[in-house]
Amino acid sequence: MSLQLLFDALALGGIYAIAALGIALIFGVMRLVNFAHGQFIACAVFALIVPSTDALAVLGLGALPAPVLVPLILMIGAGLAVLAEALVFRPMRNASPVALMVGSFALGVALQNLLLVLYGGRPKAVSLWAELGQPVQVGSASVPLLQLIVIAAVVVILAALAIMLRKSRLGLEMRAAAEDFTMARMLGVRSNRVISGAFALSGALAAVVALVLVAQTGVADVRMGGQIMLVAFIATVVGGMGSLSGAVAAGLGIGAASALLQAGLPAEARPFRDAFLYGGVILVLLFRPQGLFAPVGAKPRV
Amino acid sequence: MTSQHTIRRRMAATTPVLLALILLAFVLAALALGDRAIARMAAETLIRVTMVVGFWVFVGNSGVVSFGHAAFGCIGAYVSAWLTLRPEMKATLLPGLPELIAAADWHVLPAALAGGGVAALVALLTGAAILRLSGIAASIATFAFLAMVNTIWANWTPVTGGTSSVVGLDRYVTPWVALGWAVLAITIAAVHASSASGLALRATREDEVAAAASGIDRYRHRLLAFTLSAFFCGAGGALMGHFIGVINPDGFYLSLTFLMLAMLVIGGVGSLSGAVMGVLALSIAVEVLVRLEKGVRVGAATFALPPGSQEIILAVAMILILIFRPAGLMAGREVMLPARWVAGQTKPEN
């Protein structure tokens, strides 16, 4: 039971962490709270199937073997995000954070309705890698194979990202830009390159979340990115806006908290789980308005 | 000689009057067209004016974007439904209501006031916590509040009916009722904006630190504006419920939040006239697009936009406005009479 719970918490928290990282990366370099992230996820999900408004989903790209499919979907996610940046956020580069936030909200609505027009509003059944649902015996717990793969993938992605941010030139520039964008530009960091890079990474992370969601639920729904984005978003804030490790930690924490609440709350309070979660978030913010792991530059300077 | 200050004050006082006249002209024009659908559109537009003006009282004056005001609409709509539905109906639809509310059979006007009042009370309590934050953290906290209210409303089935709709609300909202509320909201918003508290709040919007250094208590003024704005969003929600006749928690969630924000941003957050004009412009645009989606006959061919394109066009319009006219259509200006019209008699000086 408790081991089972640990796996549930890790898998859920891992997904939240990946989604939160996608939001934190963009916030770090351009102070944009990206409300369209959930729709990036939804778009990556629907990229798997052939556009039609029929109830039955026909796998398009999704029928490809995994070694081809995974990089392809990641590239689609990254491409979409880079395109969004070039068309919407680049012209708004000098707008206030609030205007940027509203702009991303509008972009999200546009993408969601584009999916509605192309695919219709009804959720569709998609069977992607159905064989991964089989349980595997780990110690005393029987865990779906998919959950193990998700946990492993999260670890690999986080490690790869950490190495990239520390060692590669783009990673260094990204961290410099997150620290102080103006100063970084003065020292020769090319802003367009860094921002496009951050969007590409963020879009690829959205695609990872999309693949996991589809494999887990077996459903493609236009609204599916919304819920996870909300949580990811909150994880980013709780972790301290702009702090990447904070976002990961808070994502894991929220995932674990909701798995624990799900198991620990009495049955009649369980539907209200998310309300407790959001209440907790407000509480955290009240005591630590800059988030739990606030980066140095987060406090406004006078 | 009338001083510059007096002239400014008089000019500011003409704003709500002119806005009310514009709305009156809008209603008369809609009714003159004699189309039932257009009259309904006019009523809906004016309800939105009530809500968006309420929304502006907080967002416009404080500069803090709130994502939580749709939740106040939700609270207002349900409070009004609880108070006005016939007791027999409530016994079957909402068995979990407390005795006192289950037996209530109120008139619609006090119920709408109560809807706004309860929303304001909730705003006072949550705002007391949330408004200690500033900037993006405050916005996110209002978002968390919205999600919380939606979760509670969607799951507290015995009291709210859950995700299934509450039906049978008295559909009393005509364009005239909505006009009355809209004009009331505009008047109060204008009075608040020109009051000392409104001025202080706008000072914190321009420069938090300088305002604090001048002795302005940001928290108190924000909380007042938050409460006031929740009242009109709540009342607007009640009107919306009684306009459609059916309410549902998801009717007061992300899409309403988006619509209210879009109206405010397109009109221009910086002024009350911007809020009103944004609603008018967007509502008329939506009506035209909906008609285009249904199809327009051009000669023998019927031309129709694909369904769903309405939202896409609106969202794209919003992005374009953010890029090319970031301050909105009104760009922070108010509709007002020119100075020489309100200056009165100028005595020649000897």
Side-chain angles (χ1 to χ4, degrees), chain A residues 35 98 102 105 113 230 271 286, chain B residues 65 129 133 143 155 258 307 311 318:
Chain A
F35 271 99
V98 168
V102 175
F105 205 72
N113 284 288
L230 204 61
L286 286 177
Chain B
V65 172
L133 304 168
F143 207 123
N155 290 299
F258 171 68
E311 280 90 353
M318 199 165 144

Side-chain angles (χ1 to χ4, degrees), chain A residues 27 31 33 35 87-88 91-92 95 97-107 109-110 113-117 226-227 229-230 233-234 237 241 271-276 278-279 281-282 285-286 288-290 302, chain B residues 63-65 67 128-134 136-145 147-148 151-153 155-157 209 253-254 257-259 261-262 265 306-309 311-312 315-316 318-319 322-323 326:
Chain A
F27 185 84
R31 295 287 169 270
V33 181
F35 271 99
L87 291 180
V88 177
M92 291 181 71
V98 168
L100 279 170
M101 190 156 70
V102 175
S104 73
F105 205 72
L107 175 67
V109 172
N113 284 288
L114 192 65
L115 288 179
L116 273 176
V117 170
Q227 173 65 22
M229 181 206 64
L230 204 61
F233 200 45
I234 281 168
V237 179
M241 300 271 352
F272 299 102
R273 183 194 75 185
D274 290 352
F276 286 105
Y278 298 129
V281 169
I282 295 181
L285 283 177
L286 286 177
R288 295 291 301 262
Q290 310 295 343
V302 179
Chain B
V64 177
V65 172
F67 293 100
I130 290 176
L131 297 178
R132 294 194 179 278
L133 304 168
S134 65
I136 288 179
S139 298
I140 304 292
T142 58
F143 207 123
F145 170 70
M148 230 168 123
T151 311
I152 294 174
W153 250 255
N155 290 299
W156 200 9
T157 312
V209 178
Y253 198 37
L254 293 177
T257 308
F258 171 68
L259 191 70
L261 258 180
V265 168
S309 51
E311 280 90 353
I312 300 179
V316 171
M318 199 165 144
I319 292 172
L322 281 168
I323 293 174

Side-chain angles (χ1 to χ4, degrees), chain A residues 15 32 42 61 136 144 171 174 179 222 248 274 290:
Chain A
I15 288 305
L32 158 67
L61 296 178
V136 178
M174 245 178 234
E179 198 78 22
V222 174
V248 171
D274 290 352
Q290 310 295 343

Side-chain angles (χ1 to χ4, degrees), chain B residues 43-45 47-48 51 73 77 169 171-173 233-247 251-252 256 259:
Chain B
E44 196 175 10
T45 305
I47 297 170
R48 287 184 186 144
M51 295 186 83
L169 277 77
R171 290 171 57 176
Y172 70 91
V173 181
C233 284
L239 292 178
M240 192 61 93
H242 285 280
F243 170 71
I244 305 169
V246 178
I247 50 177
F252 297 94
L256 180 65
L259 191 70

